[in-house]
């Protein structure tokens, strides 16, 4: 069957803009190499003409240099055209990518709007207002209860604060705010004995019998 009808050839994929840009840049690079080669030849011819005297030989070298310069100008024009083509294609790629990004952003925003609309269907704004009002009333009631619980009893209501401050100042002059030592502290600790003055030899004068004990009585002499 394949011999009769033949086999269909696989179609090659169409080149993209990026492929065309790469091919154009490669061509521009090849032209740039040729221009540099011609610059080398022109430099060589120029050096030769500077060393030669005027005459047929110098004129022949000059003609060759003019032909090389003409070729250089042609390649330079080709390079400029290729660079412009590459720039135009890069601009097209940039514009295409911007369009794709815009479409992607637009689709994402549409999906977000759909999701928000679906979520807000279950939200009752009037119910939120009522809940806020109810919470405010509850807080006001709580503050009122706290004030009632902190009310003072058996306090005269007709007292003037300035009179109270004047009376407090008068009491401060009469009262002694120095702290006294408790009686149990003064009774618990016995009084410490005072030390006697030192003797000339540096020892302490102590009462008789405190260390050595009572003095012994000597026996009477027999006649």
């Amino acid at each position: 069957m394949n011999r009769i009808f033949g086999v269909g050839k696989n179609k090659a994929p169409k080149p993209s803009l990026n492929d065309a840009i790469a091919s154009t840049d490669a061509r521009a690079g090849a032209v740039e190499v040729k221009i540099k080669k011609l610059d080398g030849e022109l430099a060589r011819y120029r050096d030769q003409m500077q060393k030669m005297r005027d005459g047929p030989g110098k004129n022949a070298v000059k003609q060759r240099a003019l032909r090389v310069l003409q070729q250089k100008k042609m390649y330079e024009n080709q390079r400029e055209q290729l660079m412009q083509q590459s720039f135009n294609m890069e601009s097209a790629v940039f514009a295409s990518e911007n369009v794709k990004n815009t479409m992607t952003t637009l689709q994402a925003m549409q999906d977000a709007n759909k999701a928000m609309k679906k979520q807000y269907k279950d939200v009752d704004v009037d119910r939120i207002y009522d809940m806020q009002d109810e919470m405010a009333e509850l807080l006001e009631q709580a503050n009122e209860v706290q004030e009632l619980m902190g009310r003072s009893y058996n306090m005269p209501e007709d007292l003037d604060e300035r009179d109270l401050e004047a009376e407090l100042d008068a009491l401060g002059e009469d009262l002694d705010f120095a702290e006294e030592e408790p009686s149990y502290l003064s009774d618990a600790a016995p009084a410490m004995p005072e030390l006697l003055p030192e003797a000339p030899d540096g020892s302490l004068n102590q009462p008789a019998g405190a260390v050595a004990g009572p003095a012994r009585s000597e026996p009477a002499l027999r006649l």
Side-chain angles (χ1 to χ4, degrees), residues 111-142:
D111 295 340
N113 290 337
K114 290 180 181 180
M116 291 177 65
K117 289 179 180 179
K118 184 177 180 181
Q119 292 174 355
Y120 275 107
K121 285 181 180 179
D122 300 332
V123 177
D124 189 356
V125 180
D126 295 333
R127 183 179 178 183
I128 295 176
Y129 280 116
D130 295 339
M131 182 179 64
Q132 292 289 339
D133 295 338
E134 184 178 358
M135 184 178 295
E137 293 177 359
L138 291 174
L139 292 175
E140 185 176 358
Q141 293 178 5

mmCIF file of all heavy atoms in Angstrom, residues 111-142:
data_model
loop_
_atom_site.group_PDB
_atom_site.id
_atom_site.type_symbol
_atom_site.label_atom_id
_atom_site.label_comp_id
_atom_site.label_asym_id
_atom_site.label_seq_id
_atom_site.Cartn_x
_atom_site.Cartn_y
_atom_site.Cartn_z
ATOM 1 N N ASP A 111 -10.927 35.551 37.040
ATOM 2 C CA ASP A 111 -11.118 34.433 37.968
ATOM 3 C C ASP A 111 -11.225 34.924 39.415
ATOM 4 O O ASP A 111 -12.045 34.420 40.201
ATOM 5 C CB ASP A 111 -9.962 33.448 37.840
ATOM 6 C CG ASP A 111 -9.918 32.791 36.469
ATOM 7 O OD1 ASP A 111 -10.958 32.799 35.774
ATOM 8 O OD2 ASP A 111 -8.842 32.283 36.089
ATOM 9 N N ALA A 112 -10.397 35.922 39.765
ATOM 10 C CA ALA A 112 -10.458 36.457 41.124
ATOM 11 C C ALA A 112 -11.798 37.138 41.395
ATOM 12 O O ALA A 112 -12.378 37.011 42.479
ATOM 13 C CB ALA A 112 -9.311 37.437 41.349
ATOM 14 N N ASN A 113 -12.316 37.874 40.403
ATOM 15 C CA ASN A 113 -13.614 38.524 40.580
ATOM 16 C C ASN A 113 -14.735 37.506 40.757
ATOM 17 O O ASN A 113 -15.634 37.688 41.595
ATOM 18 C CB ASN A 113 -13.907 39.419 39.371
ATOM 19 C CG ASN A 113 -13.009 40.642 39.339
ATOM 20 O OD1 ASN A 113 -12.484 41.059 40.367
ATOM 21 N ND2 ASN A 113 -12.830 41.228 38.159
ATOM 22 N N LYS A 114 -14.688 36.418 39.999
ATOM 23 C CA LYS A 114 -15.701 35.373 40.149
ATOM 24 C C LYS A 114 -15.654 34.761 41.543
ATOM 25 O O LYS A 114 -16.687 34.526 42.174
ATOM 26 C CB LYS A 114 -15.498 34.297 39.084
ATOM 27 C CG LYS A 114 -15.829 34.746 37.672
ATOM 28 C CD LYS A 114 -15.599 33.614 36.671
ATOM 29 C CE LYS A 114 -15.904 34.077 35.252
ATOM 30 N NZ LYS A 114 -15.671 32.982 34.260
ATOM 31 N N ALA A 115 -14.422 34.497 42.018
ATOM 32 C CA ALA A 115 -14.293 33.903 43.351
ATOM 33 C C ALA A 115 -14.787 34.859 44.436
ATOM 34 O O ALA A 115 -15.462 34.445 45.393
ATOM 35 C CB ALA A 115 -12.828 33.531 43.606
ATOM 36 N N MET A 116 -14.486 36.150 44.297
ATOM 37 C CA MET A 116 -14.944 37.118 45.298
ATOM 38 C C MET A 116 -16.464 37.248 45.294
ATOM 39 O O MET A 116 -17.100 37.330 46.358
ATOM 40 C CB MET A 116 -14.290 38.466 45.031
ATOM 41 C CG MET A 116 -12.792 38.491 45.305
ATOM 42 S SD MET A 116 -12.037 40.088 44.898
ATOM 43 C CE MET A 116 -12.854 41.132 46.105
ATOM 44 N N LYS A 117 -17.070 37.266 44.112
ATOM 45 C CA LYS A 117 -18.525 37.339 44.041
ATOM 46 C C LYS A 117 -19.170 36.112 44.697
ATOM 47 O O LYS A 117 -20.176 36.223 45.409
ATOM 48 C CB LYS A 117 -18.969 37.441 42.586
ATOM 49 C CG LYS A 117 -18.653 38.786 41.939
ATOM 50 C CD LYS A 117 -19.113 38.802 40.481
ATOM 51 C CE LYS A 117 -18.796 40.146 39.827
ATOM 52 N NZ LYS A 117 -19.217 40.161 38.391
ATOM 53 N N LYS A 118 -18.583 34.956 44.484
ATOM 54 C CA LYS A 118 -19.127 33.737 45.076
ATOM 55 C C LYS A 118 -19.007 33.758 46.589
ATOM 56 O O LYS A 118 -19.904 33.300 47.304
ATOM 57 C CB LYS A 118 -18.388 32.528 44.495
ATOM 58 C CG LYS A 118 -18.932 31.197 44.960
ATOM 59 C CD LYS A 118 -18.196 30.047 44.285
ATOM 60 C CE LYS A 118 -18.751 28.705 44.746
ATOM 61 N NZ LYS A 118 -18.030 27.566 44.114
ATOM 62 N N GLN A 119 -17.906 34.292 47.101
ATOM 63 C CA GLN A 119 -17.726 34.360 48.543
ATOM 64 C C GLN A 119 -18.646 35.394 49.192
ATOM 65 O O GLN A 119 -19.193 35.162 50.265
ATOM 66 C CB GLN A 119 -16.266 34.679 48.859
ATOM 67 C CG GLN A 119 -15.295 33.562 48.495
ATOM 68 C CD GLN A 119 -13.850 33.967 48.684
ATOM 69 O OE1 GLN A 119 -13.563 35.124 48.999
ATOM 70 N NE2 GLN A 119 -12.930 33.028 48.468
ATOM 71 N N TYR A 120 -18.826 36.533 48.538
ATOM 72 C CA TYR A 120 -19.653 37.588 49.131
ATOM 73 C C TYR A 120 -21.147 37.300 49.040
ATOM 74 O O TYR A 120 -21.941 38.027 49.633
ATOM 75 C CB TYR A 120 -19.344 38.927 48.457
ATOM 76 C CG TYR A 120 -18.171 39.634 49.066
ATOM 77 C CD1 TYR A 120 -16.957 39.696 48.386
ATOM 78 C CD2 TYR A 120 -18.249 40.221 50.325
ATOM 79 C CE1 TYR A 120 -15.861 40.331 48.947
ATOM 80 C CE2 TYR A 120 -17.160 40.854 50.880
ATOM 81 C CZ TYR A 120 -15.963 40.911 50.192
ATOM 82 O OH TYR A 120 -14.882 41.528 50.754
ATOM 83 N N LYS A 121 -21.519 36.281 48.303
ATOM 84 C CA LYS A 121 -22.926 35.895 48.310
ATOM 85 C C LYS A 121 -23.369 35.418 49.687
ATOM 86 O O LYS A 121 -24.533 35.573 50.063
ATOM 87 C CB LYS A 121 -23.165 34.783 47.270
ATOM 88 C CG LYS A 121 -23.170 35.278 45.830
ATOM 89 C CD LYS A 121 -23.447 34.130 44.869
ATOM 90 C CE LYS A 121 -23.458 34.637 43.432
ATOM 91 N NZ LYS A 121 -23.711 33.539 42.455
ATOM 92 N N ASP A 122 -22.468 34.825 50.443
ATOM 93 C CA ASP A 122 -22.792 34.317 51.776
ATOM 94 C C ASP A 122 -22.595 35.366 52.869
ATOM 95 O O ASP A 122 -22.754 35.060 54.053
ATOM 96 C CB ASP A 122 -21.913 33.092 52.090
ATOM 97 C CG ASP A 122 -22.125 31.972 51.079
ATOM 98 O OD1 ASP A 122 -23.238 31.897 50.524
ATOM 99 O OD2 ASP A 122 -21.174 31.207 50.836
ATOM 100 N N VAL A 123 -22.206 36.585 52.506
ATOM 101 C CA VAL A 123 -21.964 37.638 53.497
ATOM 102 C C VAL A 123 -23.156 38.584 53.513
ATOM 103 O O VAL A 123 -23.537 39.133 52.464
ATOM 104 C CB VAL A 123 -20.669 38.411 53.170
ATOM 105 C CG1 VAL A 123 -20.465 39.548 54.158
ATOM 106 C CG2 VAL A 123 -19.480 37.460 53.200
ATOM 107 N N ASP A 124 -23.774 38.754 54.709
ATOM 108 C CA ASP A 124 -24.905 39.660 54.895
ATOM 109 C C ASP A 124 -24.378 40.925 55.560
ATOM 110 O O ASP A 124 -24.032 40.931 56.751
ATOM 111 C CB ASP A 124 -25.980 38.987 55.748
ATOM 112 C CG ASP A 124 -27.257 39.800 55.782
ATOM 113 O OD1 ASP A 124 -27.268 40.913 55.215
ATOM 114 O OD2 ASP A 124 -28.246 39.340 56.382
ATOM 115 N N VAL A 125 -24.324 42.020 54.799
ATOM 116 C CA VAL A 125 -23.781 43.267 55.340
ATOM 117 C C VAL A 125 -24.669 43.819 56.440
ATOM 118 O O VAL A 125 -24.183 44.318 57.472
ATOM 119 C CB VAL A 125 -23.608 44.294 54.202
ATOM 120 C CG1 VAL A 125 -23.052 45.609 54.738
ATOM 121 C CG2 VAL A 125 -22.687 43.744 53.126
ATOM 122 N N ASP A 126 -25.996 43.734 56.273
ATOM 123 C CA ASP A 126 -26.915 44.233 57.316
ATOM 124 C C ASP A 126 -26.737 43.465 58.617
ATOM 125 O O ASP A 126 -26.814 44.039 59.711
ATOM 126 C CB ASP A 126 -28.358 44.098 56.838
ATOM 127 C CG ASP A 126 -28.637 44.986 55.627
ATOM 128 O OD1 ASP A 126 -27.943 46.023 55.511
ATOM 129 O OD2 ASP A 126 -29.520 44.643 54.826
ATOM 130 N N ARG A 127 -26.449 42.177 58.497
ATOM 131 C CA ARG A 127 -26.220 41.390 59.700
ATOM 132 C C ARG A 127 -24.949 41.837 60.422
ATOM 133 O O ARG A 127 -24.885 41.855 61.655
ATOM 134 C CB ARG A 127 -26.113 39.913 59.311
ATOM 135 C CG ARG A 127 -25.942 38.970 60.504
ATOM 136 C CD ARG A 127 -25.862 37.543 60.029
ATOM 137 N NE ARG A 127 -25.651 36.631 61.148
ATOM 138 C CZ ARG A 127 -25.477 35.325 61.016
ATOM 139 N NH1 ARG A 127 -25.509 34.767 59.807
ATOM 140 N NH2 ARG A 127 -25.274 34.564 62.071
ATOM 141 N N ILE A 128 -23.929 42.227 59.648
ATOM 142 C CA ILE A 128 -22.690 42.709 60.265
ATOM 143 C C ILE A 128 -22.933 44.017 61.012
ATOM 144 O O ILE A 128 -22.448 44.222 62.127
ATOM 145 C CB ILE A 128 -21.603 42.879 59.187
ATOM 146 C CG1 ILE A 128 -21.232 41.518 58.591
ATOM 147 C CG2 ILE A 128 -20.358 43.541 59.766
ATOM 148 C CD1 ILE A 128 -20.246 41.598 57.455
ATOM 149 N N TYR A 129 -23.753 44.924 60.397
ATOM 150 C CA TYR A 129 -24.089 46.172 61.086
ATOM 151 C C TYR A 129 -24.828 45.904 62.391
ATOM 152 O O TYR A 129 -24.544 46.517 63.436
ATOM 153 C CB TYR A 129 -24.932 47.061 60.174
ATOM 154 C CG TYR A 129 -24.141 47.841 59.148
ATOM 155 C CD1 TYR A 129 -24.299 47.619 57.789
ATOM 156 C CD2 TYR A 129 -23.227 48.812 59.543
ATOM 157 C CE1 TYR A 129 -23.573 48.335 56.850
ATOM 158 C CE2 TYR A 129 -22.493 49.541 58.617
ATOM 159 C CZ TYR A 129 -22.673 49.288 57.270
ATOM 160 O OH TYR A 129 -21.954 49.993 56.356
ATOM 161 N N ASP A 130 -25.800 44.982 62.341
ATOM 162 C CA ASP A 130 -26.556 44.658 63.556
ATOM 163 C C ASP A 130 -25.646 44.075 64.625
ATOM 164 O O ASP A 130 -25.776 44.393 65.826
ATOM 165 C CB ASP A 130 -27.679 43.668 63.214
ATOM 166 C CG ASP A 130 -28.714 44.275 62.280
ATOM 167 O OD1 ASP A 130 -28.795 45.524 62.228
ATOM 168 O OD2 ASP A 130 -29.423 43.518 61.590
ATOM 169 N N MET A 131 -24.702 43.229 64.214
ATOM 170 C CA MET A 131 -23.796 42.631 65.186
ATOM 171 C C MET A 131 -22.903 43.690 65.827
ATOM 172 O O MET A 131 -22.636 43.670 67.034
ATOM 173 C CB MET A 131 -22.941 41.560 64.488
ATOM 174 C CG MET A 131 -21.987 40.817 65.415
ATOM 175 S SD MET A 131 -21.035 39.561 64.529
ATOM 176 C CE MET A 131 -20.101 40.600 63.408
ATOM 177 N N GLN A 132 -22.450 44.665 65.021
ATOM 178 C CA GLN A 132 -21.627 45.739 65.568
ATOM 179 C C GLN A 132 -22.422 46.578 66.574
ATOM 180 O O GLN A 132 -21.912 46.941 67.638
ATOM 181 C CB GLN A 132 -21.089 46.618 64.434
ATOM 182 C CG GLN A 132 -20.084 45.938 63.532
ATOM 183 C CD GLN A 132 -18.754 45.705 64.223
ATOM 184 O OE1 GLN A 132 -18.428 46.351 65.199
ATOM 185 N NE2 GLN A 132 -17.993 44.742 63.727
ATOM 186 N N ASP A 133 -23.685 46.906 66.249
ATOM 187 C CA ASP A 133 -24.508 47.673 67.183
ATOM 188 C C ASP A 133 -24.750 46.904 68.468
ATOM 189 O O ASP A 133 -24.691 47.457 69.581
ATOM 190 C CB ASP A 133 -25.844 48.028 66.514
ATOM 191 C CG ASP A 133 -25.658 48.970 65.326
ATOM 192 O OD1 ASP A 133 -24.607 49.652 65.289
ATOM 193 O OD2 ASP A 133 -26.536 48.998 64.449
ATOM 194 N N GLU A 134 -25.011 45.611 68.333
ATOM 195 C CA GLU A 134 -25.245 44.789 69.521
ATOM 196 C C GLU A 134 -23.990 44.707 70.393
ATOM 197 O O GLU A 134 -24.065 44.772 71.629
ATOM 198 C CB GLU A 134 -25.674 43.387 69.082
ATOM 199 C CG GLU A 134 -26.029 42.462 70.246
ATOM 200 C CD GLU A 134 -26.489 41.102 69.755
ATOM 201 O OE1 GLU A 134 -26.567 40.897 68.530
ATOM 202 O OE2 GLU A 134 -26.752 40.238 70.617
ATOM 203 N N MET A 135 -22.823 44.607 69.759
ATOM 204 C CA MET A 135 -21.581 44.560 70.526
ATOM 205 C C MET A 135 -21.341 45.869 71.265
ATOM 206 O O MET A 135 -20.884 45.887 72.419
ATOM 207 C CB MET A 135 -20.406 44.246 69.583
ATOM 208 C CG MET A 135 -19.073 44.081 70.285
ATOM 209 S SD MET A 135 -17.747 43.655 69.119
ATOM 210 C CE MET A 135 -18.320 42.045 68.558
ATOM 211 N N ALA A 136 -21.659 46.998 70.616
ATOM 212 C CA ALA A 136 -21.487 48.296 71.280
ATOM 213 C C ALA A 136 -22.395 48.409 72.499
ATOM 214 O O ALA A 136 -21.993 48.917 73.556
ATOM 215 C CB ALA A 136 -21.773 49.419 70.290
ATOM 216 N N GLU A 137 -23.643 47.934 72.385
ATOM 217 C CA GLU A 137 -24.556 47.974 73.533
ATOM 218 C C GLU A 137 -24.061 47.086 74.674
ATOM 219 O O GLU A 137 -24.132 47.461 75.850
ATOM 220 C CB GLU A 137 -25.952 47.528 73.086
ATOM 221 C CG GLU A 137 -26.631 48.495 72.120
ATOM 222 C CD GLU A 137 -27.982 47.990 71.649
ATOM 223 O OE1 GLU A 137 -28.363 46.871 72.077
ATOM 224 O OE2 GLU A 137 -28.639 48.688 70.858
ATOM 225 N N LEU A 138 -23.554 45.923 74.330
ATOM 226 C CA LEU A 138 -23.040 45.029 75.369
ATOM 227 C C LEU A 138 -21.856 45.644 76.100
ATOM 228 O O LEU A 138 -21.731 45.539 77.327
ATOM 229 C CB LEU A 138 -22.648 43.683 74.747
ATOM 230 C CG LEU A 138 -23.810 42.819 74.237
ATOM 231 C CD1 LEU A 138 -23.273 41.591 73.518
ATOM 232 C CD2 LEU A 138 -24.719 42.398 75.391
ATOM 233 N N LEU A 139 -20.961 46.295 75.351
ATOM 234 C CA LEU A 139 -19.811 46.941 75.993
ATOM 235 C C LEU A 139 -20.251 48.079 76.894
ATOM 236 O O LEU A 139 -19.696 48.292 77.981
ATOM 237 C CB LEU A 139 -18.844 47.451 74.927
ATOM 238 C CG LEU A 139 -18.110 46.380 74.118
ATOM 239 C CD1 LEU A 139 -17.278 47.025 73.019
ATOM 240 C CD2 LEU A 139 -17.219 45.538 75.022
ATOM 241 N N GLU A 140 -21.265 48.828 76.462
ATOM 242 C CA GLU A 140 -21.772 49.915 77.299
ATOM 243 C C GLU A 140 -22.387 49.367 78.576
ATOM 244 O O GLU A 140 -22.190 49.922 79.670
ATOM 245 C CB GLU A 140 -22.795 50.711 76.496
ATOM 246 C CG GLU A 140 -23.302 51.947 77.226
ATOM 247 C CD GLU A 140 -24.255 52.761 76.363
ATOM 248 O OE1 GLU A 140 -24.465 52.368 75.201
ATOM 249 O OE2 GLU A 140 -24.778 53.772 76.866
ATOM 250 N N GLN A 141 -23.122 48.263 78.479
ATOM 251 C CA GLN A 141 -23.687 47.641 79.676
ATOM 252 C C GLN A 141 -22.598 47.127 80.612
ATOM 253 O O GLN A 141 -22.696 47.253 81.838
ATOM 254 C CB GLN A 141 -24.621 46.496 79.274
ATOM 255 C CG GLN A 141 -25.882 46.951 78.557
ATOM 256 C CD GLN A 141 -26.757 45.788 78.143
ATOM 257 O OE1 GLN A 141 -26.458 44.633 78.475
ATOM 258 N NE2 GLN A 141 -27.827 46.073 77.412
ATOM 259 N N ALA A 142 -21.533 46.578 80.030
ATOM 260 C CA ALA A 142 -20.439 46.086 80.867
ATOM 261 C C ALA A 142 -19.776 47.228 81.623
ATOM 262 O O ALA A 142 -19.453 47.102 82.815
ATOM 263 C CB ALA A 142 -19.427 45.353 79.996
#
